[in-house]
Amino acid sequence: DQAHLEWRNRLLDMVAGPDLEAVIAFGRNAQVAVDLWNPPADVLMINTYHPSYRDQRRLLQSRPRMSHLRCSDTTCFAQNL
């Protein structure tokens, strides 16, 4: 639905802001939503399985995708790539 797409993209644009360094899309639905959005060009995009994904082997194999981040208790930052 076009109205929902426009609403979601406006929301993502508001969240993005100038300090956004990375977006992590957990699961297929999040990946589709991000694919339909036009994020800032310098933002690191990471697609990975949702933590509830039932195939533990694949879930663990996706961990290297997260290696570009360094996190404190409340914030993650994209490392210089």
Side-chain angles (χ1 to χ4, degrees), residues 53-77:
Y53 191 68
R54 294 177 187 243
D55 186 334
Q56 184 176 11
R57 181 183 57 81
R58 285 188 179 176
L59 187 59
L60 292 174
Q61 287 174 343
S62 72
R63 290 176 75 187
R65 296 177 189 163
M66 308 297 271
S67 65
H68 298 297
L69 302 176
R70 61 182 165 79
C71 300
S72 66
D73 290 340
T74 59
T75 309
C76 290
F77 300 93

Side-chain angles (χ1 to χ4, degrees), residues 9-60:
N9 287 347
R10 278 194 311 273
L11 176 66
L12 292 173
D13 287 340
M14 287 189 297
V15 171
D19 296 326
L20 182 68
E21 295 182 37
V23 171
I24 305 169
F26 289 98
R28 185 70 188 130
N29 288 339
Q31 292 167 18
V32 168
V34 169
D35 287 344
L36 294 172
W37 176 48
N38 186 22
D42 58 340
V43 172
L44 174 65
M45 304 299 290
I46 300 173
N47 291 329
T48 192
Y49 295 101
H50 190 276
S52 65
Y53 191 68
R54 294 177 187 243
D55 186 334
Q56 184 176 11
R57 181 183 57 81
R58 285 188 179 176
L59 187 59
L60 292 174

